[in-house]
Amino acid sequence: MKVIFAYGGQTETPDWTIPLQQALPEIELFHWQPDAPTRGAEAAIVWNPPADLLRQEPGVRTLLNLGAGVDALLRLEGLSDDIQVVRLEDAGMAVQMAEYAAHALVRAAREFDHYEEFQKTAQWRRLPDIRRRDWPVGVLGMGVMGIKVAQVLAALDYPVAGWSRSAKSLPGVASYAGDEGLPAFLARTRVLVNTLPLTDQTRNFLSRETLGQLLPGGYLINMARGEHLVEEDLLDLLDSGHMGGATLDVFRTEPLPPDHPFWRHPRITVTPHIAAASLREESIAQIVRNVGRLLRGEPLSGVVSRRRGY
Ligand code: NDP
Ligand code: OXD
């Protein structure tokens, strides 16, 4: 079986292809090259593939994504319904997402920004102790990422709830589900952590309407996709004082343009889409297992539902 490797339009990524080829001697792995003749690939291993991938290789019937989110992949030109899209499951990312959320939450709740300021003027000054019950956390999306985030924050003794399409049963984490569960979930939440996939249902989800229902002093941690957030609504809610701050890892336009107001906003922290990186060894191991299943005609793990969009 021939498999094409296309990583963000780059033609050389030996770090990944050499171990993949070594682990899978039964496949012929080749790099995508712009304007190359069709090689007859049946599967493709991709991250941000070039738009003409499927035109160049029309025989591809399986796309193995080197990331968890498949929103960009589902917009790929020529993606017919009979092509299966497969994502990475965890691959070392969930614990990093949890770490990122924990860092942002603890920094806000324990007021570490203030202590940083005090240090600049050598002030030995103690702020009032916090009460965890004043910082209830709500995790949007209780999949591979959301569950780990919720578990880690609950282990720090913050009151934690999760919201997803279907209800979950997780010790120490309250579960809210579907449209019916949303108002109560938002009304008990101060720190909202987003781990939803980007779909037609979740685009622009973080808006005046939803963020406006958070407890006063609300705080947003967006680690999922920039298109979830209506940017002007967040800025308005920060200006009005309803929201206390935000930590944002993902943006509608990446890289975030230098003149974007988020860069200089005193209560917004920006990071460059680094909440979690798929770990090379674990990712390669997952791809190898799935290609093995493909060769044996078995169902793959991590297949995306085209109907749900995740
Ligand atoms: P999963 O598919 O495992 O989980 C998705 C969760 O979202 C599920 O709990 C699902 O509910 C819930 N959900 C989906 N649609 C809705 C909806 N309309 N209403 C309510 N709940 C909904 O995804 P992952 O946890 O693996 O990844 C989540 C996202 O995290 C990725 O799509 C990606 O965008 C982002 N990500 C960002 C990274 C970064 O570095 N910034 C790194 C890795 C991922 P149910 O359980 O009922 O199906
Ligand atoms: C992913 C990401 O979806 O890094 O894996 O955002």
Side-chain angles (χ1 to χ4, degrees):
M1 185 172 70
K2 290 184 178 171
V3 179
I4 190 164
F5 188 94
Y7 194 97
Q10 295 174 37
T11 52
E12 291 298 323
T13 43
D15 271 354
W16 289 73
T17 47
I18 292 169
L20 274 167
Q21 183 66 82
Q22 278 170 351
L24 293 163
E26 54 282 63
I27 68 167
E28 191 186 328
L29 189 66
F30 59 93
H31 284 286
W32 174 84
Q33 301 285 343
D35 305 321
T38 299
R39 302 277 299 266
E42 290 168 57
I45 300 168
V46 298
W47 179 245
N48 289 331
D52 59 349
L53 177 83
L54 296 172
R55 202 169 37 244
Q56 199 169 305
E57 290 296 335
V60 165
R61 285 294 163 273
T62 303
L63 284 173
L64 298 154
N65 190 36
L66 290 171
V70 289
D71 43 290
L73 207 47
L74 294 181
R75 294 194 287 252
L76 190 65
E77 267 173 48
L79 185 72
S80 53
D81 288 344
D82 60 339
I83 297 180
Q84 64 175 340
V85 176
V86 184
R87 71 196 191 89
L88 287 182
E89 298 167 285
D90 193 342
M93 286 182 277
V95 70
Q96 297 172 63
M97 296 284 266
E99 191 174 52
Y100 185 98
H103 177 261
L105 165 67
V106 170
R107 185 175 151 204
R110 298 284 309 273
E111 304 186 279
F112 281 116
D113 284 350
H114 292 299
Y115 290 110
E116 221 172 283
E117 285 306 309
F118 297 163
Q119 181 173 353
K120 287 181 190 156
T121 49
Q123 284 188 69
W124 183 271
R125 183 172 155 202
R126 200 180 157 142
L127 293 168
D129 295 341
I130 67 151
R131 296 181 309 177
R132 277 171 162 64
R133 66 172 181 273
D134 292 336
W135 292 89
V137 179
V139 180
L140 293 168
M142 289 293 283
V144 177
M145 305 297 152
I147 285 178
K148 187 72 178 177
V149 169
Q151 284 173 329
V152 166
L153 302 184
L156 292 175
D157 282 352
Y158 288 90
V160 178
W163 181 73
S164 41
R165 271 164 35 120
S166 51
K168 308 283 180 246
S169 172
L170 216 61
V173 179
S175 171
Y176 294 79
D179 291 346
E180 329 70 70
L182 187 60
F185 167 81
L186 293 172
R188 48 81 54 212
T189 294
R190 179 165 178 191
V191 179
L192 188 64
V193 185
N194 182 29
T195 75
L196 286 169
L198 180 66
T199 66
D200 290 343
Q201 284 71 45
T202 65
R203 184 170 288 105
N204 298 326
F205 181 87
L206 302 168
S207 66
R208 188 184 313 277
E209 199 192 329
T210 47
L211 298 175
Q213 293 178 58
L214 297 177
L215 290 166
Y219 195 95
L220 173 66
I221 302 172
N222 188 16
M223 305 187 283
R225 287 293 181 264
E227 283 178 65
H228 285 129
L229 176 64
V230 181
E231 298 182 342
E232 311 76 56
D233 288 3
L234 173 65
L235 290 170
D236 287 351
L237 289 163
L238 287 167
D239 288 348
S240 75
H242 177 71
M243 300 276 300
T247 292
L248 309 174
D249 184 53
V250 286
F251 304 91
R252 286 184 177 260
T253 307
E254 293 181 6
L256 187 65
D259 59 350
H260 197 288
F262 285 172
W263 280 116
R264 274 163 285 278
H265 197 290
R267 281 178 289 142
I268 293 180
T269 297
V270 167
T271 54
H273 200 141
I274 47 78
S278 47
L279 299 184
R280 183 175 166 277
E281 260 176 44
E282 179 50 30
S283 305
I284 290 173
Q286 273 187 39
I287 299 282
V288 166
R289 285 197 292 274
N290 263 339
V291 172
R293 292 177 182 119
L294 204 57
L295 291 168
R296 294 190 297 275
E298 294 169 8
L300 308 198
S301 182
V303 176
V304 168
S305 156
R306 299 290 292 279
R307 185 181 49 79
R308 294 185 322 186
Y310 70 96

